Amino acid sequence: ATTSLSRDLQEIVNSVKPKLLINGKFIDSLGGQTFTTEDPRTGEPICEVAECTAEDVDAAVDAARKAFDHGPWPRIPGRERGRILYKLADLLERDLEALAQLESLDNGKPVHFSRTADLPLAIEHLRYYAGWADKIAGEVVPVGVPNMQAITYREPLGVVAQIIPWNFPLLMMAWKLGPALCAGNTVVLKAAEQTPLTALRMGELCLEAGVPEGVVNVISGEGSVSGAALAGHPRVNKVAFTGSTEVGKLIMKQAADNLNPVTLELGGKSPNIICPDADIDAAVEQAHFALFFNMGQCCTAGSRTFVHEDIYDEFVKKATERAQNRKVGDPFASDTEQGPQVSKEQFDKILGLIETGKKQGAKLQTGGGRHGDKGYFIQPTVFSDVRDDMTIAKDEIFGPVQSILKWKTFEEVIERANNSNYGLAAGVFTKNLNWANTLSRGLKAGTVWVNCYDVFDAAVPFGGYKQSGIGREHGRECIDHYTQTKAVYTPLEGPQS
Ligand code: NAD
């Protein structure tokens, strides 16, 4: 039995080929296994999807290997790869509405955010890297050896294993494919088992755009089975992962046997520091957005809201009111701000952490339980009087739970903000330029947003300090992670001028 979907949504679901995309064909898994992807609004099944096993991973890697070792992709001019990536972006734009609805159905995020954030950002990302495809160049290096020329090439790495999470499924796929493909690599991408549908549809669009068979292979299934087999596969040349820090450590170990380079985009516990001079209403709104956006399921979530003691009480009151006014409901309703969490597992984990917060003495200002009686909706929750040693101030909750802490001096707040194994992002709210500089220079985080939050641009490096990750996505820096340098020496013979 499938969930009772509207006719339009059912048609969109029917347009997806819920299989494995290997070597340009949609195929069943070798053993015929499938898994169910769920509608988080109800917990009912959407459809069955082919479940990738270790043998299927072998087939996908072989296809990518053949496409890299013998196919046209790394050999055609970069400009031609760029043209195909631009075409892929155009196809995402053509199918924007259907993809946005599919994303919201599988993930639970409000469809107007899928339309205005996930899809446009994914499209822009592909265009940005399409533009790089013909600009990845080596150099002529002046050398001291007489009559010798040295040049470098930037060459693709080969077959790249990419493993992505469920919080921004299509956007994470674009973040991964753009830099890998523009540089001439071939890819096996594993979508999260909670959200396989848009990845499969985007895989199909890659073929329509003219990406040759075997260059993009898309699989999904259990992380501990297909993810582990892919990350440790002896015939891949690099592993890129976005997800939890816990799994990031496993990935690094799996890749180590092959001495493969890894890039990791992991969790966070990002501090958001509100100074005494901040415009309170604007800061309340931005801090609310920083935490609650995407149901709190953002690696950058501003999950430690540090508010200066002078404005603490007023801030807590206003933040509580804002959370109480947050519109929770069907992601397909136009005024919904918050849909369900992605899965029962996440729903249970978040409710458990809320209980821990209460037990450890944080003050529950609002929320604290499930919303409604079906699906995975959680009430927007605000805790004040949160202390640094409480579990809710240390662990990634990945849910709609705001923790507000009090601070007094700059030295103290910088030290407390940095006292975390994570270092992905941070926010600062102040009108004072010196304070903004002191804080943004002092914070150990890969991104600092001053008087704004969750601003992303394809050109600006994004990644974590400490256990929030290794390497950077976006910008030119990411291309370095998908290429390697070859040096070529050639004697100069004959007369030289
Ligand atoms: P996860 O890290 O387990 O899953 C991310 C991806 O890794 C999925 O595709 C999954 O199938 C795969 N995976 C899982 N185990 C694997 C293994 N042993 N080897 C290889 N691949 C494996 O994340 P999750 O369990 O879905 O969520 C758990 C927590 O992770 C969340 O509560 C949240 O705190 C965090 N998380 C962070 C991000 C982020 O963007 N930083 C995204 C999703 C989840």
Side-chain angles (χ1 to χ4, degrees), residues 162-168 172 190-195 219-232 239 241-248 250-251 254 265-268 296-300 342-343 345-346 349-350 353 395-399 422 424 462 468:
Q162 302 188 316
I163 300 174
I164 59 170
W166 42 260
N167 52 348
F168 294 90
M172 291 303 107
K190 194 196 92 62
E193 58 273 34
Q194 296 83 353
T195 53
I219 59 176
S220 60
E222 277 296 315
S224 57
V225 181
S226 50
L230 182 58
V239 186
F241 170 78
T242 297
S244 61
T245 293
E246 190 191 346
V247 174
L250 294 175
I251 299 272
Q254 288 151 358
E265 203 63 72
L266 308 175
Q297 301 167 149
C298 294
C299 48
T300 54
V342 75
S343 66
E345 191 185 341
Q346 288 298 310
K349 177 186 153 193
I350 295 161
L353 281 162
D395 289 8
E396 192 173 37
I397 301 177
F398 235 59
Y422 293 116
L424 190 57
F462 173 74
S468 286

Side-chain angles (χ1 to χ4, degrees), residues 168-185:
F168 294 90
L170 196 133
L171 182 59
M172 291 303 107
M173 184 162 176
W175 281 18
K176 292 280 179 282
L177 288 187
L181 293 180
C182 80
N185 299 281

Side-chain angles (χ1 to χ4, degrees), residues 105 124 127 142 246 273 312 359 429 488:
L105 176 65
E124 196 176 291
R127 292 199 174 127
E246 190 191 346
I273 300 174
Y312 190 82
K359 274 196 211 107
F429 285 84
V488 176

Side-chain angles (χ1 to χ4, degrees), residues 378-392:
I378 292 182
Q379 295 169 342
T381 297
V382 176
F383 280 110
S384 66
D385 301 55
V386 176
R387 289 193 321 265
D388 296 0
D389 62 345
M390 290 177 179
T391 307
I392 57 169

Side-chain angles (χ1 to χ4, degrees), residues 81-327:
R81 286 195 297 274
R83 196 187 60 73
I84 293 170
L85 285 175
Y86 280 122
K87 180 80 192 293
L88 175 60
D90 290 348
L91 295 177
L92 288 182
E93 205 159 52
R94 180 194 72 188
D95 292 354
L96 188 145
E97 182 55 30
L99 286 165
Q101 295 202 23
L102 192 62
E103 192 77 317
S104 288
L105 176 65
D106 215 6
N107 167 281
K109 65 178 71 202
V111 71
H112 55 95
F113 291 131
S114 301
R115 266 186 212 122
T116 58
D118 298 63
L119 263 294
L121 284 168
I123 291 164
E124 196 176 291
H125 211 81
L126 292 172
R127 292 199 174 127
Y128 174 80
Y129 281 105
W132 265 110
D134 61 359
K135 297 170 193 71
I136 302 171
E139 55 191 355
V140 181
V141 188
V143 288
V145 187
N147 292 324
M148 188 64 73
Q149 174 179 270
I151 60 169
T152 61
Y153 293 92
R154 294 295 301 179
E155 296 192 331
L157 295 172
V159 175
V160 177
Q162 302 188 316
I163 300 174
I164 59 170
W166 42 260
N167 52 348
F168 294 90
L170 196 133
L171 182 59
M172 291 303 107
M173 184 162 176
W175 281 18
K176 292 280 179 282
L177 288 187
L181 293 180
C182 80
N185 299 281
T186 63
V187 171
V188 178
L189 179 135
K190 194 196 92 62
E193 58 273 34
Q194 296 83 353
T195 53
L197 299 180
T198 48
L200 290 164
R201 190 63 196 114
M202 186 157 157
E204 199 176 357
L205 293 178
C206 286
L207 296 174
E208 187 180 341
V211 176
E213 62 184 31
V215 171
V216 173
N217 303 276
V218 182
I219 59 176
S220 60
E222 277 296 315
S224 57
V225 181
S226 50
L230 182 58
H233 205 287
R235 292 195 296 285
V236 308
N237 304 108
K238 178 207 163 58
V239 186
F241 170 78
T242 297
S244 61
T245 293
E246 190 191 346
V247 174
K249 291 179 184 179
L250 294 175
I251 299 272
M252 207 168 167
K253 288 181 188 143
Q254 288 151 358
D257 272 347
N258 307 310
L259 278 181
N260 267 333
V262 293
T263 40
L264 304 171
E265 203 63 72
L266 308 175
K269 195 71 194 173
S270 299
N272 190 11
I273 300 174
I274 320 295
C275 294
D277 70 327
D279 173 338
I280 293 202
D281 291 338
V284 164
E285 186 57 35
Q286 286 287 325
H288 177 85
F289 166 69
L291 185 282
F292 289 96
F293 178 59
N294 208 42
M295 288 71 75
Q297 301 167 149
C298 294
C299 48
T300 54
S303 52
R304 290 183 293 153
T305 310
F306 283 100
V307 179
H308 191 266
E309 60 177 4
D310 290 354
I311 54 168
Y312 190 82
D313 293 342
E314 184 185 354
F315 188 98
V316 168
K317 183 166 165 285
K318 289 184 164 168
T320 303
E321 284 164 11
R322 179 62 185 91
Q324 284 163 344
N325 291 332
R326 187 167 182 79
K327 184 89 176 43

